[in-house]
Amino acid sequence: MSKNSAGSRIPAGSKVSVRGLRKSFGSNEVLKGLDVEISEGEVVCVIGPSGSGKSTFLRCLNKLDELSAGTVIVDGFNLSDKTVDLNEVRQHIGMVFQHFNLFPHMTVLQNIMLAPVELKKQSTATARASALKLLDRVGLAEKADARPAQLSGGQKQRVAIARSLAVNPDIMLFDEATSALDPEMVGEVLQVIRDLAAEGMTMVVVTHEMGFAREVADRVIFMADGVIVEEGTPAELFGNPQQERTQDFLSKVL
Ligand code: ADP
Ligand code: MG
């Protein structure tokens, strides 16, 4: 692959390649040297106690946080390269947060059309047609003209997912996307994530939903104190954890 406007777009064997990733806030080292390779279409769930660095890890994958050391290559973009075009990177890697951050003054449709029109310079007609398809995909076709305030938490989160998908990303990051939802709404959001997995989307999913991780993940990573303590298939990690810290964590959450 040749160099393009986004800086060094170098060939990568995997969709996400993280080597020796360190991240400090002041003197607090939060990520202490992570190595992760994620292949195309792989679904990786990240679990671990609060404060272990899971969100910081995801934020380093789309450079919402600056890396302190190490290399992160995402869809061929080297995020350690200062000249990398973040607008372009973020069209390749979408992120969904615990809180939906929809624009309250815009309709559902306008929220979804914003990035395609502003960043991708799509025509309004094209963006509208794609947005309607995405809304249908997340089961909310009838809510196109609603405002976020008129939606339930689960519906807002499904709109937020549709909005992330609107730039047609190759990789999706989910940071506890169901943690702020009432229990009865968790299932509808997990179903959308499950559908994406079935369609072959490459995903990194930070979650407290152990049942979901067990069912959907190709690989589960257990993080604690800024390191990857253990990783494996769901059967390995949940069924036969090797490390005491993993066993201890699982005994509290399962
Ligand atoms: P997790 O998502 O696993 O709960 P986080 O990545 O949110 O963990 O946080 C890991 C550590 O990094 C915590 O000690 C947290 O206080 C610290 N941290 C996260 N973001 C910042 C920030 N912007 N400034 C300072 N410290 C931060
Ligand atoms: Mg977090």
Side-chain angles (χ1 to χ4, degrees):
M1 211 174 292
S2 60
K3 206 167 157 74
N4 68 7
S5 58
S8 55
R9 185 140 200 240
I10 56 179
S14 45
K15 211 68 176 159
V16 176
S17 177
V18 176
R19 309 245 171 97
L21 171 61
R22 291 177 179 271
K23 171 66 185 174
S24 299
F25 295 103
S27 61
N28 182 18
E29 189 171 59
V30 170
L31 300 179
K32 300 172 182 165
L34 303 186
D35 297 296
V36 184
E37 302 289 330
I38 300 174
S39 333
E40 183 157 15
E42 198 178 8
V43 178
V44 175
C45 285
V46 181
I47 62 171
S50 183
S52 56
K54 304 182 299 294
S55 295
T56 305
F57 169 51
L58 283 197
R59 292 168 60 85
C60 285
L61 293 184
N62 68 355
K63 230 179 168 185
L64 283 173
D65 278 339
E66 286 287 333
L67 328 177
S68 301
T71 316
V72 175
I73 298 170
V74 166
D75 219 9
F77 293 98
N78 185 347
L79 301 193
S80 326
D81 180 342
K82 300 279 183 237
T83 67
V84 74
D85 179 343
L86 287 181
N87 272 340
E88 189 164 348
V89 171
R90 289 181 191 147
Q91 291 175 37
H92 290 253
I93 183 159
M95 184 153 174
V96 174
F97 304 87
Q98 186 173 348
H99 297 285
F100 337 105
N101 311 317
L102 297 175
F103 292 108
H105 59 290
M106 293 183 181
T107 66
V108 162
L109 205 61
Q110 287 166 341
N111 265 281
I112 299 173
M113 289 167 60
L114 189 65
V117 170
E118 298 293 322
L119 291 180
K120 297 206 111 169
K121 309 294 176 204
Q122 284 182 7
S123 71
T124 309
T126 305
R128 168 180 281 271
S130 309
L132 285 170
K133 272 195 203 134
L134 281 169
L135 268 182
D136 192 42
R137 195 160 145 196
V138 299
L140 290 173
E142 78 285 7
K143 297 292 184 188
D145 298 319
R147 306 260 166 192
Q150 298 169 291
L151 304 179
S152 71
Q155 290 172 334
K156 279 185 221 174
Q157 192 60 299
R158 285 188 279 153
V159 172
I161 294 172
R163 185 180 56 174
S164 295
L165 292 172
V167 294
N168 212 9
D170 292 317
I171 303 164
M172 285 287 288
L173 310 175
F174 291 89
D175 193 0
E176 297 192 17
T178 60
S179 295
L181 299 176
D182 290 335
E184 73 272 23
M185 292 168 189
V186 169
E188 68 195 56
V189 173
L190 292 182
Q191 188 55 46
V192 172
I193 303 176
R194 197 180 276 120
D195 290 345
L196 281 173
E199 289 162 22
M201 179 70 82
T202 307
M203 301 201 283
V204 187
V205 182
V206 173
T207 185
H208 291 306
E209 302 285 340
M210 297 300 148
F212 178 78
R214 191 189 278 258
E215 172 203 349
V216 173
D218 296 305
R219 178 152 49 113
V220 182
I221 291 178
F222 172 64
M223 274 182 74
D225 294 330
V227 299
I228 293 174
V229 174
E230 185 167 354
E231 61 182 304
T233 64
E236 288 165 350
L237 201 105
F238 292 116
N240 189 18
Q242 299 297 306
Q243 301 294 324
E244 201 176 316
R245 268 202 288 187
T246 317
Q247 293 162 0
D248 190 49
F249 175 76
L250 291 176
S251 73
K252 289 177 185 141
V253 298
L254 286 181

